[in-house]
Amino acid sequence: MSARKLTPGRLVIASHNQGKVREIRELLEPYGIEPVSAGELDLPEPEETGTTFAENALLKARASAEGANCVALADDSGLCVAALNDAPGVYTADWAEKAAFEGGPGRDWYMAMGKVEGKLAELGPDTDRSSYFTCTLALAWPDGHHEIFEGRVHGSLTWPPRGTLGFGYDPVFVPEGRDQTFAELDPAQKHAMSHRADAFAKLVAACL
């Protein structure tokens, strides 16, 4: 069965993460879509209770679609590290959450990158550092219909963090075939190969 098509007009990006909103907005602009973020609309962030990226993406998309009575697009993405049994995975953002004694609430991505590195260091200097970023995009309509698309980009982790152009774990992730981290690459180069771009290309092919 073919996917439901997106028509030009307003679409809610179900995220309060400005880095993520900016990336999705840039990917959508050529298609006559007018993205507005859940943050701009003061829509609440639903609790991410899913155990998979698809479940969490759909939770967020449905909450925004119902809250704004408009088609909504949500992204649930994360870093999966082979030697850590694909952790942090769906808990990628949780690893960045600051506890009260760390000055929380809020997210500290340098701290999150340090946690990953610390766990790899415990496994020894010869530990496999291969990893991948995965992105699941969920489109939800106010009538309950939804579409889901997944993308990945493989690479390896480096330390210490390098670059200032990305967000999240970008400063420690070196994509396959490159020697620069995602945070050192020009954003246009990152967009061309990222997990989000991969998932987005599938969405475009199916829905636009």
Side-chain angles (χ1 to χ4, degrees), residues 34-140:
E34 300 158 25
V36 58
S37 75
E40 291 170 86
L41 297 175
D42 286 328
L43 295 173
E45 288 188 90
E47 193 176 345
E48 294 179 33
T49 53
T51 56
T52 66
F53 292 108
E55 286 174 4
N56 282 332
L58 199 50
L59 270 170
K60 291 184 280 190
R62 281 184 167 150
S64 283
E66 290 165 11
N69 194 32
C70 177
V71 185
L73 173 66
D75 155 308
D76 200 54
S77 49
L79 175 69
C80 299
V81 183
L84 304 181
N85 295 318
D86 282 352
V90 290
Y91 305 107
T92 290
D94 295 345
W95 283 32
E97 292 291 350
K98 292 188 290 185
F101 69 87
E102 294 163 328
R107 288 177 181 167
D108 180 338
W109 292 103
Y110 193 89
M111 177 184 78
M113 290 184 278
K115 284 180 185 175
V116 172
E117 182 61 25
K119 288 183 181 295
L120 288 175
E122 286 171 13
L123 297 173
D126 300 322
T127 298
D128 176 14
R129 300 181 71 83
S130 63
S131 57
Y132 64 89
F133 274 126
T134 184
C135 167
T136 300
L137 294 175
L139 273 173

Side-chain angles (χ1 to χ4, degrees), residues 116-192:
V116 172
E117 182 61 25
K119 288 183 181 295
L120 288 175
E122 286 171 13
L123 297 173
D126 300 322
T127 298
D128 176 14
R129 300 181 71 83
S130 63
S131 57
Y132 64 89
F133 274 126
T134 184
C135 167
T136 300
L137 294 175
L139 273 173
W141 280 258
D143 66 2
H145 183 83
H146 71 270
E147 304 283 351
I148 288 179
F149 307 92
E150 186 188 10
R152 287 186 181 185
V153 58
H154 291 268
S156 62
L157 298 181
T158 188
W159 192 262
R162 306 195 314 256
T164 58
L165 298 174
F167 63 96
Y169 294 81
D170 285 356
V172 293
F173 183 81
V174 179
E176 280 182 357
R178 298 281 181 153
D179 52 16
Q180 291 174 295
T181 69
F182 260 177
E184 291 177 304
L185 288 172
D186 178 90
Q189 289 179 297
K190 179 192 168 184
H191 290 339

